[in-house]
Amino acid sequence: CDTDDDNDGVADISDICPASSTGEPVDAGTGCTLLQLCPCEGARGSSKPWRNHGKYVSCVAKSTKVFVNQGLITETEKGAIVSDAAESNCGK
């Protein structure tokens, strides 16, 4: 009886992203990676695309802040991730 099937440190009962990629940092509260929290196709849990590019970038910025606060990534990494999101075509 494995209580953490994807081995991300978040118990299956609390893990809203039960198939996190091995080795990727995950939010301790959700069990989700950044890509799972802010997929390019649209908001997590929705079948609709992002309303606009700014909504996507905002999701990435907020999620990376949580990851910094949890010690999962550095401020420098956060800046690079948000910059990449701003240059992407997600939400356009």
Side-chain angles (χ1 to χ4, degrees):
C1 292
D2 188 352
T3 59
D4 183 13
D5 291 330
D6 60 1
N7 299 313
D8 62 2
V10 178
D12 292 340
I13 196 163
S14 302
D15 198 337
I16 63 171
C17 294
S20 299
S21 300
T22 303
E24 290 290 319
V26 297
D27 172 42
T30 63
C32 297
T33 65
L34 286 170
L35 183 60
Q36 290 171 314
L37 289 170
C38 304
C40 187
E41 300 79 32
R44 191 192 159 305
S46 174
S47 60
K48 297 179 182 178
W50 293 101
R51 284 192 301 166
N52 57 53
H53 182 65
K55 292 290 184 186
Y56 169 73
V57 176
S58 177
C59 178
V60 172
K62 288 176 185 176
S63 296
T64 54
K65 182 177 179 180
V66 170
F67 276 51
V68 168
N69 290 341
Q70 292 180 14
L72 300 171
I73 62 173
T74 66
E75 282 288 341
T76 301
E77 290 170 319
K78 174 186 182 281
I81 293 166
V82 173
S83 179
D84 286 346
E87 294 177 12
S88 76
N89 288 323
C90 299
K92 290 185 177 180

